[in-house]
Structures are given as C-alpha cells and as structure tokens.
C-alpha cells in the first residue's frame, strides 16, 4: 500500500512532464510541416508512404532526446531547453537531407518515391539517437 501511495505522489510530475512533452511534439509537427514545401498531412491522408516515412521519422527523432532528458532530470526547464535544441536539430536534419543529399526531394516525396522517405526518415532518427546519446547528466 505504501508503494502505491508513493507512486501517486509522483503523478503530478508525470502529468506535467507528459503534457510538456506532448506540447513540444505538437509544436514540432507544426514547425516541421511549416518548413516542408509540400502538405505533409494531406499527402499522408492520400496514402503517400514517402511523406509518412519522413514525418514519422522526424517525430521519432525529435522524441528521442526528450525521452533522454525526461529520464535524467526533474527540471521542466531542462526539458524545455533541450526540446528547443531537439526541434532545431531535426529541422537542420531535414534541411540537410532534403537540400544536400536529395536536391529533388520535393518531387520525390510528391511522386511517393519510398526510398526518399526511408533515407530522410532514417537520417532524422539517426540525429535523434545522436542527440539522445549526447544528453548525459
């Protein structure tokens, strides 16, 4: 019984961290879809696998460092600071991947060339993993 009560005392912290992390994820989705030259969610709704892979990989890559921070700190400020850094990192990964590695990226996504989505989604996840591993306390 004592462990149940002790667990309930951490419920407010859990709810706060979960709300902040979900808020950051929504902010990231808005920012990411704003910088892409195509309508990500419209393409996904139309069954475009490439758009789903790029957006999905970016979301996973963004969530990884937030997960690392949340598991190593009790500070919402730390979570917010690293949330911004993770957001910028993922936008940079998109910019590099879509402009340097695949200069015709927009056409590739709109034509649903799955290999483009796999490459950019994988790059986003790789950047997220590197950020995750870099966050040591």
């Amino acid at each position: 019984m004592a462990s149940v009560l002790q667990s309930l005392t951490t419920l407010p912290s859990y709810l706060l961290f979960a709300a902040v992390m979900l808020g950051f994820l929504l902010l990231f989705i808005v920012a990411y879809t704003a910088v892409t030259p195509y309508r990500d969610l419209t393409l996904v709704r139309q069954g475009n696998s490439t758009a789903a892979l790029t957006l999905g990989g970016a979301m996973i890559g963004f969530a990884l460092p937030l997960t690392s921070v949340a598991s190593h700190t009790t500070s919402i400020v730390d979570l917010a600071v690293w949330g911004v850094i993770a957001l910028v990192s993922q936008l940079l990964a998109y910019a590099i991947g879509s402009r340097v590695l695949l200069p015709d990226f927009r056409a590739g996504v709109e034509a649903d060339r799955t290999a483009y989505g796999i490459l950019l989604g994988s790059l986003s996840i790789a950047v997220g993993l590197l950020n995750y591993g870099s966050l040591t306390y």
Side-chain angles (χ1 to χ4, degrees), residues 1-89:
M1 181 68 168
S3 66
V4 171
L5 291 176
Q6 185 178 17
S7 293
L8 289 177
T9 62
T10 61
L11 184 61
S13 292
Y14 162 77
L15 293 173
L16 179 61
F17 268 70
V20 169
M21 291 171 66
L22 285 171
F24 263 103
L25 181 60
L26 290 174
L27 175 66
F28 173 73
I29 293 168
V30 168
Y32 186 87
T33 58
V35 301
T36 59
Y38 46 84
R39 301 177 68 69
D40 301 77
L41 296 175
T42 300
L43 290 173
V44 170
R45 286 185 194 107
Q46 293 171 350
N48 185 306
S49 298
T50 304
L53 286 165
T54 60
L55 181 58
M59 289 188 302
I60 293 167
F62 174 73
L64 284 165
L66 288 186
T67 302
S68 179
V69 173
S71 64
H72 292 101
T73 188
T74 59
S75 170
I76 289 296
V77 173
D78 280 352
L79 185 61
V81 167
W82 288 107
V84 170
I85 292 169
L87 190 145
V88 170
S89 296

Side-chain angles (χ1 to χ4, degrees), residues 67-126:
T67 302
S68 179
V69 173
S71 64
H72 292 101
T73 188
T74 59
S75 170
I76 289 296
V77 173
D78 280 352
L79 185 61
V81 167
W82 288 107
V84 170
I85 292 169
L87 190 145
V88 170
S89 296
Q90 284 302 316
L91 294 180
L92 286 172
Y94 167 77
I96 291 167
S98 66
R99 290 185 178 91
V100 176
L101 297 177
L102 300 167
D104 61 338
F105 184 72
R106 178 181 183 169
V109 170
E110 290 174 342
D112 201 9
R113 293 187 199 129
T114 307
Y116 282 51
I118 292 170
L119 181 63
L120 191 63
S122 298
L123 177 64
S124 296
I125 293 169

